[in-house]
Amino acid sequence: MYTGQTEQPCCLCGADETVARLDLPPRTVTLMRNSGPIAWRDIVGEVSIHFCESDWELVRELVLDMGMLPLSRCNVAHASMSLREDFEALLNATRDEPDQTALEASALERSREVLDDPEAEPQAAVQARVVVFALDELDVTDGHEARQPDHA
């Protein structure tokens, strides 16, 4: 639902001026700070996080040079997302819980294509690695959670 905010602040420091954006699958919000009250399954579409110039340089180095995932430092309160309840309130109709597996599978496929391209732009490479690292940390493979063996 529109709340009057048209610009997204940096998810690391809260600065208003941002230079880069990453679009991530909804499940990745669980890796961000302050994500406890958010039901990721109720997010409709991708989640966008933004970075100011100095933080973007740090994120690029962490992801591309060190192979680290920066999401634990990102404040989910500064992320841009649409929630199912907002659509229900706007349309005055109940919607089914979104199935995120297709979105995750598509994000993984796009990310792998970018990572296979040696000519990929740095921002695309950062986004691709963040998606792959995050979904790997969450045990999501090809859009599905990895099944843990049953213990009898």
Side-chain angles (χ1 to χ4, degrees), residues 36-76:
I38 297 175
W40 69 266
R41 293 182 191 272
D42 284 339
I43 297 173
V44 178
E46 294 179 317
V47 174
S48 297
I49 55 175
H50 303 259
F51 299 94
C52 66
E53 189 169 358
S54 63
D55 286 342
W56 177 243
E57 292 303 317
L58 173 65
V59 167
R60 280 181 56 181
E61 289 176 22
L62 286 172
V63 174
L64 297 179
D65 299 338
M66 302 171 151
M68 297 177 67
L69 183 62
L71 294 182
S72 65
R73 298 287 186 184
C74 296
N75 187 346
V76 76

Side-chain angles (χ1 to χ4, degrees), residues 8-9 36 45 48 51 61 79 86 91 94 115 121 130 134-135 141 150:
Q8 291 303 126
S48 297
F51 299 94
E61 289 176 22
D86 293 341
L91 301 174
T94 303
L115 294 175
E121 295 289 324
V130 168
L135 293 180
T141 57
D150 293 332

